[in-house]
Amino acid sequence: MNILNSPVRFWCLLICLLIILLPGGRQAIASDTIIIKAVGTWEYFTNYQKHEGPFWNERIEQVTEGAIVGEIRPHTTLDLQGFEIMRLVKNGVFDFAFGMSGYVVPESEIFEGADLSSLVQNISVQRQVAEAYFPTLERAFAEKYNAKLMLLYPFPSQMIWCKTPINQMSDLRGKRIRVYLTTLGDFVEGIGAIPVSVPFRDVPDVLSSGIVDCVITGTMSAYTTRLPQVTPYGFTLRVGWGVSFGAMNMNKWNLLSESQKQLLLQEIETLTENMWTETATEDDIALACLADGPCTLGKNGGMTLVKPSAEDLKIRDKVAMEVILPRWAERCGPECAANWNRTVGKVLGLKAEMQPGPVIRAD
């Protein structure tokens, strides 16, 4: 019998086709498919465009042959500030989140430990720091958020961009400088400047209105937001790395089979490697584009960039030992500081103490 001559069969076939074609139809048929609802960082930065977004929107479905399907959107398009994302992961609103470590510092100062201001100038050393501190943060994410820490990765290094010439660190004294983390505020106060906490999206406004004289932000974000037009002078001391995380709701993680867990961990390992490599490359590209090129991204920024001198680095060491580390040790507590000393401190040849001690850097 021709199916079109059977109304019942015709309507059954039509309904089946609609289920397949309509959004969510795949999930309706593959009832055992695991959907991962994820939130990412900024949609206009490379980390989301090249890594976070494609990883969940494309890669995971491909490698699991549809057994796991990811759906991710950046927190900026969701009208989120970022500080709330791990609480939303804890409550199951999202299954996975990428975010900056600074977003979770309000829950515990322990989260600052992988990116204390100005301590690390080299990205390979910063990676050693992240790896040394990973087990500490892994425990903290589990305890505070019922989440499994999956990866740590950096944004391009954070530097200082100003409206007036900066030839040495002492030129920053008395200036109002945009910060977004407590540890950055410690650095700014340590050099005799004034920290002003400002969200990234408000940076152009506070510069144009004169609320701040300088801003701390990443090299690539400085270029993509056209900072050279309003801050034509850069001081290339690395005051942070924007170390960020990827973490998964533990209940969701436990729904995966052992083979799925292993596959996801392998993919995360590759993702992590790609992100560190990309950031190292982006730093060089962004600095070239901010100054006189050659720039592969577009027009040169024409910014005047000044490298910190040996004397500037001595001041940095003094501020680290007398301000940044003691203040953080005070906030985090003796046990937290002792753990840092055994992990990150061993990598850097530094010691976090509540009272300042002698400079014992190993670099």
Side-chain angles (χ1 to χ4, degrees), residues 160-173 175 213-214 230-235 304-306:
I160 304 171
W161 320 100
C162 296
K163 294 192 285 186
T164 56
I166 302 296
N167 296 310
Q168 55 196 2
M169 198 179 298
S170 60
D171 292 337
L172 293 167
R173 289 177 189 154
K175 294 195 180 297
D213 305 300
C214 309
V230 285
T231 58
Y233 304 97
F235 189 63
T304 300
L305 302 181
V306 174

Side-chain angles (χ1 to χ4, degrees), residues 247-312:
M248 189 173 193
N249 177 283
M250 195 70 76
N251 296 337
K252 195 73 171 189
W253 169 257
N254 289 332
L255 289 178
L256 303 180
S257 68
E258 287 305 313
S259 61
Q260 288 173 335
K261 289 178 181 178
Q262 289 304 312
L263 179 59
L264 185 54
L265 288 172
Q266 290 172 11
E267 291 297 320
I268 288 285
E269 184 177 353
T270 300
L271 176 69
T272 302
E273 189 66 37
N274 291 341
M275 292 172 108
W276 281 93
T277 300
E278 182 94 37
T279 293
T281 303
E282 277 205 342
D283 235 9
D284 293 337
I285 293 172
L287 287 172
C289 289
L290 285 165
D292 298 321
C295 181
T296 59
L297 303 176
K299 186 178 179 181
N300 293 337
M303 184 180 280
T304 300
L305 302 181
V306 174
K307 294 181 180 180
S309 66
E311 185 61 31
D312 290 327

